[in-house]
Amino acid sequence: MQLAKLDNIDDYLIAPDPGAPRLTRSVEGHDHTGAAIDIRVVEERPLTIYLNAQEVVTAMTIGDYPEYLALGFLRNQGMISASDDITGVDHDDELDVVVVRTKRKTDYEEKMRKKTRTSGCAVGTVFGDMMEGLEGVTLPAVDVRTSWLYALSARINRTPSLYLEAGAIHGTVLCQGSRPLVYMEDVGRHNAVDKIAGWMLSERVEAQDKILYTTGRLTSEMVIKTAMMGIPVLVSRSGFTAWGVEIAQAVGLTLIGRMKGQRFVCLAGEDRLVRDADPGMASDEPRKSGRKGEA
Amino acid sequence: MQLAKLDNIDDYLIAPDPGAPRLTRSVEGHDHTGAAIDIRVVEERPLTIYLNAQEVVTAMTIGDYPEYLALGFLRNQGMISASDDITGVDHDDELDVVVVRTKRKTDYEEKMRKKTRTSGCAVGTVFGDMMEGLEGVTLPAVDVRTSWLYALSARINRTPSLYLEAGAIHGTVLCQGSRPLVYMEDVGRHNAVDKIAGWMLSERVEAQDKILYTTGRLTSEMVIKTAMMGIPVLVSRSGFTAWGVEIAQAVGLTLIGRMKGQRFVCLAGEDRLVRDADPGMASDEPRKSGRKGEA
């Protein structure tokens, strides 16, 4: 049984576009009986991100919203900060390159040059930089109603998406109260989050009254990115890693996982939860909902 | 309903060790009713990999088999080749560092130094290097019986694992015929594959009669790693990306996805399949098997 899809997705500021021809491809193959079949699979493309003249990373992405992805990636890695004056974000579709330009050289470029001199590459510092970036983060003491969480989960699961269309993709949704606002998907779950961060930075959207919902697991990197974005609540259908929980507890982020039907588990920031919903009233999920993310 | 776990895992050369105290942690939290609960979650630790004096990458890993992970990562990235004489693999548990030492400087170090001089970091070249590494790869024209695939899938799904114990983890299994040999798990699905590659390199295991089974999606990187290892068949419960399919077709790798119960989809290398099993005889999976990887 498949949940009925929503007809009305007008509430979203950005919704998935499962019909976009650039995002999926039809591939011929055979099923288990040997019969020829035709199935749609998601695209996956390299995108190289530059910060000014500095090549930073090549990400594998489905290919939509490359500017948001680049901006959000750099922001979530702590490579650009709120004080950096961004003068341009240029995407070259043929070269699969995005260049983010800032008015002055960023601290990151300086750091990278130093690091390069000693060991030749700055990859290893990236994670350390992310943890450093968390030091100044304070997440607000807002209320989070469990009735919102149930409403969001039900609505997001029924929204037409590339996942429902072609599978093999992760989704992340920026929400406010019981309303999902921006629903991004990508082959890498971190890209979906980074695209939301890029959108928030571009549109100067406030983070403190938001909830982030993801189909992916609650790893350290997901928790760090959410905290870097200033969002106090992260919700997932999937499970946890120990370090993800530890960081959430340290920065005071509300971390909710294994959210399916009426069930969920909260392993950090329980104090924000307002239990206004009767879990017995939230309809339990049918056995096979077509959604991924088994805990 | 949960499938019964296997009692006998003696057939495995390496099986998961869900009881290992270092790999999971008990965490306190609350469930959807507000009741206090205690759940086990998987660990996630940084591991920095060096090739001789060169820092290469920091991977987030569950932490078992660090030497295999380092060796397999470098091999699958094409940073060390069959002709490199490996003189040591040293793991420092306190520093979370593994150093792989070769007799002579590798081509990669040379390449990295050149690259460093021009743009300061070699991250962007890694993917290009992997594609380059595929040029010499020829995969053998072996038979793959569908009866093996059904037997493997049933057996692997019932093997006691960290996934069944704590969730939020990917598994990859090296198989021969209908027998699973080495079952690795990790928070990053690529790490699980790399650990198998490292084991194969250490034990000088032949690749051409093997089948690789993974719980993760069939992305370009998974397909490239499998081909780099010389394994002609890659099977998954999960779905495909278009580039993963394209590369599999180009290198002649048999790519099977969405394998659940009696169903599967083959999108490349169909010619290796010997359809000796009656799909109707393979028992269909119960609705809720406790396994991840929805297509």
Side-chain angles (χ1 to χ4, degrees):
Chain A
M1 184 185 144
Q2 183 104 359
L3 287 172
K5 288 182 190 173
L6 290 181
D7 292 326
N8 179 11
I9 54 163
D10 293 349
D11 267 11
Y12 282 97
L13 299 175
I14 299 181
D17 186 7
R22 256 182 66 93
L23 303 184
T24 60
R25 193 191 302 182
S26 179
V27 178
E28 291 175 7
H30 297 84
D31 72 6
H32 59 286
T33 69
I37 53 162
D38 224 304
I39 68 168
R40 283 181 71 190
V41 296
V42 295
E43 290 287 355
E44 183 193 12
R45 303 183 170 85
L47 179 75
T48 302
I49 299 171
Y50 281 79
L51 178 55
N52 298 313
Q54 176 70 62
E55 180 181 335
V56 178
V57 79
T58 296
M60 299 302 300
T61 169
I62 191 162
D64 62 350
Y65 305 106
E67 294 90 351
Y68 290 154
L69 175 56
L71 262 182
F73 174 84
L74 295 174
R75 183 69 189 89
N76 279 343
Q77 298 286 336
M79 293 178 187
I80 52 178
S81 69
S83 66
D84 285 316
D85 193 352
I86 294 157
T87 54
V89 183
D90 302 317
H91 176 226
D92 186 315
D93 196 26
E94 275 179 26
L95 298 180
D96 294 319
V97 162
V98 182
V99 183
V100 175
R101 295 180 210 282
T102 56
K103 202 162 178 180
R104 297 179 311 166
K105 279 211 167 192
T106 62
D107 291 350
Y108 172 69
E109 292 166 272
E110 184 57 35
K111 206 176 278 185
M112 200 147 172
R113 205 169 46 240
K114 272 190 206 148
K115 175 79 184 169
T116 303
R117 242 179 278 138
T118 54
S119 82
C121 191
V123 194
T125 64
V126 168
F127 198 83
D129 284 355
M130 286 178 74
M131 293 294 281
E132 246 177 60
L134 283 183
E135 278 164 27
V137 170
T138 317
L139 299 172
V142 293
D143 283 350
V144 179
R145 299 185 174 275
T146 55
S147 59
W148 296 345
L149 302 180
Y150 289 124
L152 287 172
S153 178
R155 191 167 163 78
I156 291 166
N157 288 341
R158 294 171 62 199
T159 300
S161 63
L162 280 161
Y163 176 74
L164 291 178
E165 189 66 35
I169 199 161
H170 278 288
T172 302
V173 191
L174 182 71
C175 311
Q176 185 172 28
S178 61
R179 183 186 170 202
L181 298 176
V182 175
Y183 187 155
M184 295 287 192
E185 292 179 289
D186 211 299
V187 284
R189 68 177 181 283
H190 298 125
N191 295 344
V193 182
D194 288 338
K195 285 191 277 197
I196 286 182
W199 178 82
M200 290 175 74
L201 194 62
S202 293
E203 304 292 319
R204 298 175 187 278
V205 173
E206 242 185 65
Q208 55 180 27
D209 59 344
K210 301 298 186 297
I211 295 170
L212 202 63
Y213 176 101
T214 173
T215 61
R217 289 169 294 154
L218 300 165
T219 60
S220 58
E221 206 171 346
M222 283 299 296
V223 172
I224 291 171
K225 281 180 191 275
T226 307
M228 289 290 282
M229 291 158 78
I231 299 176
V233 188
L234 177 60
V235 181
S236 174
R237 297 175 61 80
S238 293
F240 307 85
T241 69
W243 205 13
V245 175
E246 206 174 305
I247 296 170
Q249 289 171 344
V251 299
L253 182 140
T254 298
L255 192 67
I256 291 167
R258 301 190 181 179
M259 172 124 202
K260 278 181 224 172
Q262 62 180 41
R263 287 180 294 276
F264 66 79
V265 172
C266 179
L267 293 188
E270 162 82 19
D271 47 308
R272 283 198 189 85
L273 284 189
V274 177
R275 296 177 178 278
D276 67 331
D278 172 5
M281 295 298 289
S283 67
D284 214 351
E285 231 171 275
R287 279 291 160 95
K288 201 177 167 75
S289 69
R291 295 301 310 185
K292 89 167 82 186
E294 302 291 344
Chain B
M1 185 184 145
Q2 182 106 355
L3 286 172
K5 290 182 189 173
L6 289 181
D7 292 324
N8 180 9
I9 55 164
D10 294 348
D11 268 10
Y12 282 97
L13 299 176
I14 299 179
D17 186 7
R22 254 182 67 93
L23 304 183
T24 60
R25 192 191 303 182
S26 181
V27 179
E28 291 175 8
H30 296 85
D31 74 4
H32 58 285
T33 67
I37 54 163
D38 223 305
I39 69 169
R40 282 181 70 190
V41 297
V42 295
E43 290 288 352
E44 183 194 12
R45 303 183 169 85
L47 179 74
T48 301
I49 298 171
Y50 281 78
L51 177 55
N52 298 314
Q54 176 70 64
E55 178 181 336
V56 177
V57 79
T58 296
M60 298 304 300
T61 170
I62 190 162
D64 61 351
Y65 305 107
E67 294 90 351
Y68 289 154
L69 174 56
L71 262 182
F73 174 83
L74 295 173
R75 182 69 190 90
N76 279 343
Q77 298 285 337
M79 293 177 186
I80 53 177
S81 70
S83 66
D84 285 317
D85 193 353
I86 294 157
T87 54
V89 183
D90 302 317
H91 175 228
D92 186 316
D93 196 27
E94 274 178 28
L95 297 179
D96 293 319
V97 163
V98 181
V99 183
V100 175
R101 297 179 209 282
T102 56
K103 202 163 177 178
R104 296 178 313 166
K105 277 210 168 192
T106 63
D107 290 353
Y108 172 70
E109 292 166 87
E110 185 56 34
K111 207 177 276 182
M112 201 147 170
R113 205 169 46 238
K114 270 189 205 149
K115 176 77 184 171
T116 302
R117 240 179 278 139
T118 54
S119 81
C121 189
V123 194
T125 64
V126 168
F127 197 83
D129 283 355
M130 287 179 73
M131 293 295 279
E132 246 176 60
L134 283 183
E135 277 164 27
V137 170
T138 318
L139 299 172
V142 293
D143 283 351
V144 179
R145 299 184 174 276
T146 55
S147 60
W148 297 346
L149 302 180
Y150 289 126
L152 287 172
S153 177
R155 191 168 162 78
I156 291 166
N157 288 341
R158 294 171 61 199
T159 300
S161 63
L162 280 161
Y163 176 73
L164 291 177
E165 189 66 35
I169 199 159
H170 278 290
T172 301
V173 191
L174 182 72
C175 311
Q176 185 173 29
S178 61
R179 181 185 170 201
L181 298 177
V182 175
Y183 187 154
M184 296 285 191
E185 293 180 287
D186 210 300
V187 283
R189 70 178 179 284
H190 298 125
N191 295 345
V193 182
D194 288 338
K195 285 191 277 197
I196 286 181
W199 178 81
M200 290 176 74
L201 194 62
S202 292
E203 305 292 318
R204 300 178 185 280
V205 173
E206 243 186 63
Q208 54 180 26
D209 59 343
K210 302 296 187 297
I211 295 169
L212 202 63
Y213 177 100
T214 174
T215 60
R217 290 169 294 154
L218 300 165
T219 60
S220 58
E221 206 172 346
M222 282 299 295
V223 172
I224 291 171
K225 281 180 190 274
T226 308
M228 290 289 282
M229 291 159 77
I231 299 175
V233 188
L234 177 60
V235 181
S236 174
R237 297 176 61 82
S238 293
F240 307 86
T241 69
W243 205 11
V245 174
E246 207 173 306
I247 296 170
Q249 289 171 344
V251 299
L253 182 139
T254 298
L255 193 67
I256 291 167
R258 301 189 183 183
M259 172 124 202
K260 277 181 225 172
Q262 62 180 41
R263 287 179 295 276
F264 66 80
V265 172
C266 177
L267 293 188
E270 163 80 19
D271 47 308
R272 284 199 190 84
L273 284 189
V274 178
R275 294 175 180 279
D276 67 331
D278 173 4
M281 296 297 289
S283 67
D284 214 350
E285 232 172 272
R287 279 292 160 93
K288 201 176 168 74
S289 68
R291 296 300 310 180
K292 89 167 84 186
E294 301 291 343

